[in-house]
Structure formats: C-alpha cells, structure tokens
C-alpha cells in the first residue's frame, strides 16, 4: 500500500500519524544547557568520519516549514562555530536565542534525543594554521563568539605554540559571561587535558571578561580599554606587536571591524589566512 492511500485505524477510527521524513545528515542531541534566557549550549553526536581543526565551524539546523506554494521542505541552516575541541567524541555548540529567529526560535527548544542537521564540511579562519609562530595568542570575543575559543582553549596545540594565552570576552551582562568563565575554571580540574598537555597548562591563560551594560568587576568595551592602556596594564603585558603577538577575533560585525582597524593601524599587525599565515585572523561567518 502506498502513502497516498489513507488508512483508518480500526481501534480509534482515526488516520495514523504520518511518519516524519528522515533528516539529512542527522545527528542526535545528547545534552542541552540553558545559561540565560538568551543563551544556551548543546552537544550532539559526532559523525564517525568528521575531522575538523579546533576553531572551525559547520552548518547546522533543522527542516524548515513546507513552502506554501510547492509544499517542498528544505533545510534551514546557519553557520555555527564548533565549541568542542578537535579530539572530542561529541560536538558542542553555543547559541543565542532569538524569539523570532527562523532557526534559533525553534533550536532553543531541542531536547536530548532530538535530531538536528549537521553538514560534515568544517571550514573557517580561526585556526592555528592561519597564524605565524609567536609568543602570545589573544582571543577576542563578544557574546557567543566565545564558541571557537572554547574549542581552542582545549586544544593541545594552543599551549604547544604559545607561552601565554589571553582570552577577552565582552558581553552586555554578567550572566552572559557564565559559559566562558565556567569552561575556563573547568580546565583546572580536567584530568585528561592536564595529562595530555601537561600539569598546570591552564596557568598560561589570562582571562579578561568585561561587561558593557550591567555592573560587573570590570566594565567597558575591550577596544576602549586597549586604547587607554588599561587592559594591558591589568593583564601585565605590553601592547600587541607583530614580533610576539598573534590574535583571533570572533564577535559582532562592528566589533570585528573596529579591532581589525586597531590591529592594522595602531599595532602594525597583518591579517592572515589559511593560504597566507600572518598576525591575526577574523571569523567572518559569525554574527552575534
């Protein structure tokens, strides 16, 4: 019997529920954690054949609603930085919740056992291969732009390549800093990483969180704090220079452009790419 023929359930006298079409590139949700009313993270199974470099992103999503004219259903996909490191058996993502967002309005309601679409073709610029060797690596993030750095902070190569790792995270409210703060704190107790990278590897990290709206121990935009010299003084490091400093940026568009200008015109850094490594890289796919 084909699916065009309606069937009635004798016991209930009702047509059986139509089977949902199988998701393409489906992966199963294993964990969901809501950090604030606007932020959540989740983990999914990892495709057995998927290989990626820490800092890259993939396209993930759900099936869209049927087209009102054709009835066809297409995937609704967005670029998401992978928050888990390249060696992890699962894949983690960190997301905003947008009430009327085409994808996040639905994605925020996923539960363990649900399925999402994950296209197994990782790409991105926030990778070690795009930077020249240096002494100090800076990670600059706003909001959920922390995600690729959550991956890189758990990547052994980060600590093999650099003597110092500085992560700045600028958010509107203190609650938005929780995901990053807890992840960094967890590194101290991570037995696997301490064994693989070296006991006390986390001591190389300098964490500099700031807020722009809600009162917190450190207020202000990181770019303003750099211009004033306050950030460098509090971190105990000199201003960035091409000889020793490398940087990665993942934030909203205005933030990315402002930092790029600051790097090039104040500190003399050159933007790099996978094909031409240099002093800093910017994740152009991210929108906070």
């Amino acid at each position: 019997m084909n699916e065009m023929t309606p069937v009635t359930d004798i016991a209930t006298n009702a047509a059986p529920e139509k089977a949902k079409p199988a998701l393409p590139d489906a992966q199963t949700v294993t964990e969901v954690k809501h950090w604030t009313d606007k932020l959540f993270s989740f983990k999914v199974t990892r495709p057995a054949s998927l290989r990626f470099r820490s800092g890259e992103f993939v396209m993930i999503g759900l099936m869209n609603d049927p087209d009102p004219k054709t009835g066809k259903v297409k995937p609704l996909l967005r670029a998401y930085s992978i928050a888990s490191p390249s060696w992890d058996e699962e894949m983690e993502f960190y997301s905003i919740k947008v009430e009327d967002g085409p994808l996040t309005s639905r994605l925020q309601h996923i539960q363990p056992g649900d399925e999402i679409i994950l296209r197994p073709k990782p790409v991105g610029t926030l990778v070690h291969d795009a930077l020249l060797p240096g002494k100090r690596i800076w990670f600059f993030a706003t909001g959920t732009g922390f995600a690729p750095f959550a991956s890189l902070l758990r990547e052994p190569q980060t600590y093999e390549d650099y003597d110092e790792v500085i992560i700045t995270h600028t958010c509107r409210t203190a609650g938005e800093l929780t995901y990053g703060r807890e992840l960094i704190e967890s590194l101290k107790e991570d037995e696997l990483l301490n064994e693989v990278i070296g006991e006390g590897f986390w001591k190389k990290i300098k964490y500099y969180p700031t807020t722009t709206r809600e009162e917190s121990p450190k207020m202000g935009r990181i770019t303003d704090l750099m211009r004033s010299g306050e950030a460098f003084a509090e971190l105990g490091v000199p201003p960035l220079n091409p000889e020793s400093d490398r940087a990665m940026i993942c934030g909203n568009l205005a933030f990315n452009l402002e930092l790029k200008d600051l790097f090039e015109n104040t500190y003399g850094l050159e933007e790099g790419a996978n094909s031409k490594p240099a002093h800093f890289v910017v994740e152009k796919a991210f929108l906070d």
Side-chain angles (χ1 to χ4, degrees):
M1 184 174 293
N2 64 52
E3 63 180 4
M4 297 301 292
T5 307
V7 181
T8 301
D9 188 301
I10 297 174
T12 62
N13 197 36
E17 185 178 344
K18 192 173 182 180
K20 293 181 180 179
L23 280 180
D25 296 316
Q27 295 301 321
T28 304
V29 177
T30 59
E31 180 181 308
V32 181
K33 186 166 184 177
H34 295 270
W35 299 90
T36 71
D37 61 346
K38 296 184 185 300
L39 297 168
F40 72 109
S41 61
F42 58 97
K43 295 181 180 180
V44 302
T45 53
R46 177 174 177 170
S49 62
L50 177 61
R51 299 290 180 269
F52 68 91
R53 295 174 296 176
S54 292
E56 291 188 313
F57 66 87
V58 290
M59 303 297 290
I60 66 173
L62 299 167
M63 294 304 290
N64 209 341
D65 294 326
D67 185 285
K69 293 182 179 179
T70 65
K72 291 184 178 180
V73 180
K74 294 182 179 180
L76 178 61
L77 303 171
R78 295 288 184 272
Y80 268 75
S81 292
I82 305 168
S84 47
S86 61
W87 49 264
D88 206 324
E89 294 180 355
E90 294 185 308
M91 301 189 73
E92 181 182 0
F93 300 95
Y94 184 40
S95 177
I96 56 173
K97 305 175 189 178
V98 181
E99 189 173 338
D100 57 351
L103 178 58
T104 59
S105 62
R106 296 162 57 190
L107 194 63
Q108 64 181 295
H109 300 299
I110 56 173
Q111 301 289 334
D114 291 345
E115 289 185 334
I116 68 163
I117 301 167
L118 191 157
R119 291 283 166 82
K121 296 179 180 179
V123 291
T125 56
L126 301 186
V127 293
H128 287 305
D129 295 343
L131 295 175
L132 295 169
K135 173 187 176 183
R136 187 183 298 113
I137 180 74
W138 293 76
F139 298 142
F140 292 92
T142 63
T144 53
F146 190 92
F149 305 134
S151 175
L152 286 156
L153 284 167
R154 291 178 281 181
E155 169 57 53
Q157 186 181 348
T158 300
Y159 305 93
E160 295 167 5
D161 290 356
Y162 299 97
D163 297 332
E164 289 182 281
V165 180
I166 300 176
I167 170 77
T168 82
H169 193 196
T170 301
C171 294
R172 300 174 186 87
T173 67
E176 294 173 345
L177 295 167
T178 307
Y179 173 82
R181 184 183 68 248
E182 290 194 4
L183 185 142
I184 291 171
E185 282 296 316
S186 73
L187 298 179
K188 300 176 183 179
E189 310 300 327
D190 193 313
E191 294 182 4
L192 175 62
L193 283 178
N194 275 279
E195 181 179 342
V196 172
I197 301 174
E199 194 70 32
F201 75 93
W202 48 269
K203 293 178 182 178
K204 286 188 174 186
I205 300 172
K206 292 186 176 183
Y207 175 47
Y208 197 71
T210 70
T211 58
T212 56
R213 293 186 184 175
E214 186 179 33
E215 191 72 28
S216 73
K218 191 66 198 176
M219 299 283 294
R221 299 165 71 247
I222 185 62
T223 46
D224 293 337
L225 295 166
M226 290 167 68
R227 287 192 182 93
S228 69
E230 193 172 339
F232 302 116
E234 292 179 335
L235 286 165
V237 297
L240 285 79
N241 73 79
E243 299 303 316
S244 59
D245 294 279
R246 303 295 174 258
M248 296 185 180
I249 310 169
C250 190
N252 60 63
L253 183 58
F255 174 78
N256 291 358
L257 293 174
E258 186 177 4
L259 264 182
K260 176 179 163 67
D261 179 70
L262 198 60
F263 286 170
E264 293 177 338
N265 297 313
T266 300
Y267 304 123
L269 305 186
E270 180 184 345
E271 184 173 1
N274 280 278
S275 58
K276 187 183 178 184
H279 308 125
F280 75 94
V281 285
V282 184
E283 185 51 85
K284 299 176 176 64
F286 175 77
L287 290 177
D288 183 18

